[in-house]
């Protein structure tokens, strides 16, 4: 899945997004493109409290490296800043949201025309357009 983006889900059962980002016990990380979604990694963190302790976030942020988004039930303001600083879009979902439904929605959005965060994520994984210099040459580029 060369053109896939990676997204993470805060989950305890690998079916529902049912965790607060900071106290999430586990994440499921998927590679997603318009046609398929594949589980890449499942990571567990053990019991973590919603206590304002920022140190526990660093392990989660390391896991999310390369992800375009993280889906969770809730996320604190400080964590949002850290997540966004890594170029990851935090997405808050309603209680009872299933990973499969969210993957289906994400794939439908990829096909229909992505939102701004998704378009940016897709473009980051595409690499530079090999035709970009042809356009410059046609415009009469001088050194």
């Amino acid at each position: 899945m060369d053109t896939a983006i990676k997204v993470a889900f805060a989950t305890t059962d690998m079916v529902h997004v049912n965790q607060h980002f900071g106290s999430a016990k586990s994440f499921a990380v998927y590679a997603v493109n318009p046609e398929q979604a594949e589980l890449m990694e499942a990571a567990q963190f053990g019991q973590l409290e919603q206590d304002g302790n920022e140190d526990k976030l660093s392990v989660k942020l390391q896991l999310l490296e390369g992800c375009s988004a993280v889906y969770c039930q809730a996320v604190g303001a400080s964590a949002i800043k850290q997540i966004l600083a890594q170029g990851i879009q935090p997405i808050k979902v309603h209680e009872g949201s299933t990973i499969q439904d969210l993957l289906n929605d994400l794939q439908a959005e990829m096909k229909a025309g992505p939102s701004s965060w998704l378009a940016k994520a897709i473009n980051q994984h595409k690499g530079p357009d090999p035709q970009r210099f042809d356009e410059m040459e046609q415009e009469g580029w001088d050194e």
Side-chain angles (χ1 to χ4, degrees), residues 89 91 106 109-110 112-123:
Q89 180 67 43
I91 300 173
L106 183 58
E109 184 178 346
M110 289 174 145
S115 61
S116 59
W117 78 263
L118 184 54
K120 182 179 173 184
I122 290 168
N123 286 332

Side-chain angles (χ1 to χ4, degrees), residues 60-78:
K60 292 179 180 164
L61 292 170
Q62 286 175 3
L63 171 77
L64 296 178
E65 229 173 83
C67 285
S68 299
V70 59
Y71 292 76
C72 47
Q73 270 198 341
V75 60
S78 174

Side-chain angles (χ1 to χ4, degrees), residues 28-85:
V29 179
Y30 282 80
V32 184
N33 70 23
E35 305 306 321
Q36 68 185 89
E38 181 179 321
L39 178 65
M40 302 298 291
E41 182 176 5
Q44 293 190 327
F45 302 105
Q47 188 68 32
L48 298 171
E49 301 300 321
Q50 295 176 23
D51 57 8
N53 179 358
E54 299 290 321
D55 294 337
K56 65 186 172 197
L57 297 182
S58 64
V59 175
K60 292 179 180 164
L61 292 170
Q62 286 175 3
L63 171 77
L64 296 178
E65 229 173 83
C67 285
S68 299
V70 59
Y71 292 76
C72 47
Q73 270 198 341
V75 60
S78 174
I80 288 173
K81 287 179 188 174
Q82 293 178 59
I83 293 166
L84 289 172

Side-chain angles (χ1 to χ4, degrees), residues 9-21 23-26 50 71-74 93-99 102:
F9 300 91
T11 180
T12 57
D13 61 6
M14 302 298 284
V15 175
H16 299 92
V17 176
N18 57 6
Q19 293 283 284
H20 183 286
F21 178 80
S23 59
K25 296 176 187 169
S26 56
Q50 295 176 23
Y71 292 76
C72 47
Q73 270 198 341
V93 300
H94 297 289
E95 188 173 340
S97 296
T98 67
I99 292 172
L102 294 167

